[in-house]
Amino acid sequence: TQSGPYPAAWTLCIEVAEHIPEGSTADFVRNLDVLTQDALVISWAAPEKCGLGWGHVNCLSSDDVASLFARLSSLRLDREGTRRLRAAAHIAWIREGVLLLRRSGSIHCHKSREEALGASTRHSPRTMPATSAAKAMLQRTLGNMLLPDRSLRN
């Protein structure tokens, strides 16, 4: 049996990444990769936010974050989803640094919803549930870009 945290269909990692020491970045990214089944919503402070007294020790541009995940995981930047999340964010520093990354092979990488549903059989029955508030926010913000309902079960 698996010990420790179980993977989630959607993983939220907000206001954490810029506090991870640079030497631990690869482990951090690989851990998020293991804990994310379909999509990751992450914020990462930009370089101009480092050294301002907030404990930001590892600031990266959005392009650098996308490249880092592409190199170390199978999570890829979803530009349209990122645009929608940023447009919906009410907090300026979240709006500036939030990204949506999707697993290669997720529904947005398939030609049809049916093809994606047929290919998606690796989900654990013990997936951690999304909170109702997070689920509602993602539903409102991303609308038809969401994965099938099974990824946002309560």
Side-chain angles (χ1 to χ4, degrees), residues 3-44:
S3 64
Y6 291 95
W10 280 68
T11 305
L12 301 175
C13 183
I14 306 297
E15 293 301 296
V16 174
E18 58 272 11
H19 300 278
I20 302 296
E22 190 174 335
S24 300
T25 303
D27 289 336
F28 174 69
V29 168
R30 288 183 187 112
N31 285 336
L32 287 172
D33 185 48
V34 168
L35 292 171
T36 303
Q37 291 179 338
D38 296 315
L40 168 66
V41 177
I42 187 169
S43 67
W44 204 307

Side-chain angles (χ1 to χ4, degrees), residues 140-153:
R140 281 190 312 273
T141 303
L142 298 174
N144 64 351
M145 293 180 68
L146 285 177
L147 295 172
D149 286 341
R150 59 128 177 95
S151 70
L152 292 175
R153 275 184 284 218

Side-chain angles (χ1 to χ4, degrees), residues 110-148:
H110 291 279
K111 291 182 180 180
S112 72
R113 179 180 171 94
E114 293 73 28
E115 181 183 356
L117 291 172
S120 188
T121 58
R122 64 178 171 71
H123 302 285
S124 159
R126 298 203 52 195
T127 297
M128 294 176 61
T131 66
S132 295
K135 177 180 175 181
M137 184 279 300
L138 288 170
Q139 193 77 39
R140 281 190 312 273
T141 303
L142 298 174
N144 64 351
M145 293 180 68
L146 285 177
L147 295 172

Side-chain angles (χ1 to χ4, degrees), residues 71-91:
R71 191 173 74 250
L72 298 174
S73 77
S74 63
L75 295 166
R76 301 294 180 264
L77 180 64
D78 177 336
R79 291 189 188 283
E80 175 60 16
T82 295
R83 185 197 65 75
R84 288 186 185 194
L85 287 174
R86 288 181 176 183
H90 297 287
I91 301 170

